[in-house]
Amino acid sequence: MNDLPRLTSLAHGGGCGCKLAPSVLRELLADQPMAQAFPQLLVGTETSDDAAVWQVDDNTCVIATTDFFMPMVDDPRAFGRIAATNAISDIYAMGGRPIMALAILGMPIDKLAPERIREILEGGREICHQAGIPVAGGHSIDAPEPIYGLAVIGLCHPSELRRNADARPGDALILTKGLGVGIYSAAIKKGALDEAGVAEMVASATTLNRVGADLAKRADVHAITDVTGFGILGHGLEIARGARLRLRLRLTDLPLLSRAAELAEAGFVTGASTRNWAAYGAEVALPEGLPLWQRALLTDPQTSGGLLVACAPEAAGEVLDFIRDAGFPLAAIVGHAEQGVAGISVE
């Protein structure tokens, strides 16, 4: 068994750190036709939201998403579970409930034994079972690097749809999971994270964000997005741009995985973190003299990260308690939205 290749050694990147930089993605999508030609398409590419939404009738919206990436852990089953959790999260972030998934699989079949590939698929099925949905099919190819993920379909009532662009001035901002997944994955790739650290990261990344569907039933919850490959700053900026607001984040209130600060200060930072800052740093105001390792926490790509929730300020405490009771003990109020030039200020 010791001569088997590590999954992470077969990929040049891992998890949501594989995503194209935000600036590159915007350039690629710049000339795409706008969604107004299809009035039933309630959410398309305009605001970089988490999934596409099509209204079928007065009571039903179909939510569609796809997400896949290369491994950021070496255990095949854990990789499958993380990838599936991450993909399903887009449905919850729109306020919906998933109904089925299709598997997306690309594997270097000359380097990975069939039983290890089956473990990846089984991990994905386990999470889909937890979410109460089937893996109803999929597509597979022979690929030079291991890739796995899901296309997921969900439903919601139009009144429960939550866009990332609907935050309001004065809204409190709540983050449901701790930051640091990319930093942990960088440490894993270099063999510098112990079993307890790996277990902590996997536990966070395999916690389904199903609370998003419950939050969407509340009129005082205005906007939701999930924090993934662009980090808390990148996905916060998507809210800020869409709503034309300025977000103010409190650095000391941001929840972190237990060793995230320690590992970031020691230099375990992903390349995606640096690309993220290069892509959107001009829209962010940071405290003067902020160390680079603390900036890395803000740009750290989260794989299957938490939800960033914008809610009425008078309801923030009640909403936070609800989220914590739903199984998110690190959830915290991390800032607020206000009138101003779209962007983020970190205090």
Side-chain angles (χ1 to χ4, degrees), residues 117-179:
I117 299 173
R118 281 198 299 270
E119 284 190 67
I120 295 170
L121 294 171
E122 185 54 37
R125 287 194 193 96
E126 286 177 2
I127 291 298
C128 287
H129 179 73
Q130 287 182 28
I133 63 174
V135 179
H139 186 66
S140 59
I141 62 170
D142 183 3
E145 296 181 290
I147 296 169
Y148 175 68
L150 300 174
V152 190
I153 303 297
L155 300 174
C156 76
H157 190 278
S159 67
E160 295 173 5
L161 174 63
R162 290 296 180 269
R163 302 172 177 88
N164 65 2
D166 290 338
R168 303 177 188 178
D171 274 355
L173 302 172
I174 299 174
L175 182 61
T176 64
K177 289 185 182 181
L179 302 173

Side-chain angles (χ1 to χ4, degrees), residues 104-268:
I104 299 165
L105 184 73
M107 288 291 146
I109 57 175
D110 59 332
K111 297 175 183 175
L112 279 177
E115 55 268 24
R116 298 186 79 194
I117 299 173
R118 281 198 299 270
E119 284 190 67
I120 295 170
L121 294 171
E122 185 54 37
R125 287 194 193 96
E126 286 177 2
I127 291 298
C128 287
H129 179 73
Q130 287 182 28
I133 63 174
V135 179
H139 186 66
S140 59
I141 62 170
D142 183 3
E145 296 181 290
I147 296 169
Y148 175 68
L150 300 174
V152 190
I153 303 297
L155 300 174
C156 76
H157 190 278
S159 67
E160 295 173 5
L161 174 63
R162 290 296 180 269
R163 302 172 177 88
N164 65 2
D166 290 338
R168 303 177 188 178
D171 274 355
L173 302 172
I174 299 174
L175 182 61
T176 64
K177 289 185 182 181
L179 302 173
V181 174
I183 289 163
Y184 273 48
S185 66
I188 288 174
K189 203 165 181 73
K190 296 180 180 179
L193 191 64
D194 59 19
E195 289 185 9
V198 174
E200 179 191 14
M201 187 194 74
V202 171
S204 177
T206 56
T207 297
L208 286 163
N209 282 326
R210 67 174 89 226
V211 70
D214 298 319
L215 291 172
K217 296 182 182 301
R218 301 181 59 112
D220 48 22
V221 171
H222 303 144
I224 306 174
T225 193
D226 64 350
V227 178
T228 55
F230 301 152
I232 182 67
L233 291 183
H235 294 285
L237 277 168
E238 290 171 347
I239 289 179
R241 294 182 192 125
R244 296 187 176 92
L245 297 173
R246 189 150 196 96
L247 304 192
R248 292 195 175 273
L249 300 179
R250 295 183 298 272
L251 183 64
T252 54
D253 289 340
L254 290 170
L256 304 176
L257 298 181
S258 65
R259 295 186 59 192
E262 167 203 341
L263 291 168
E265 191 170 11
F268 292 101

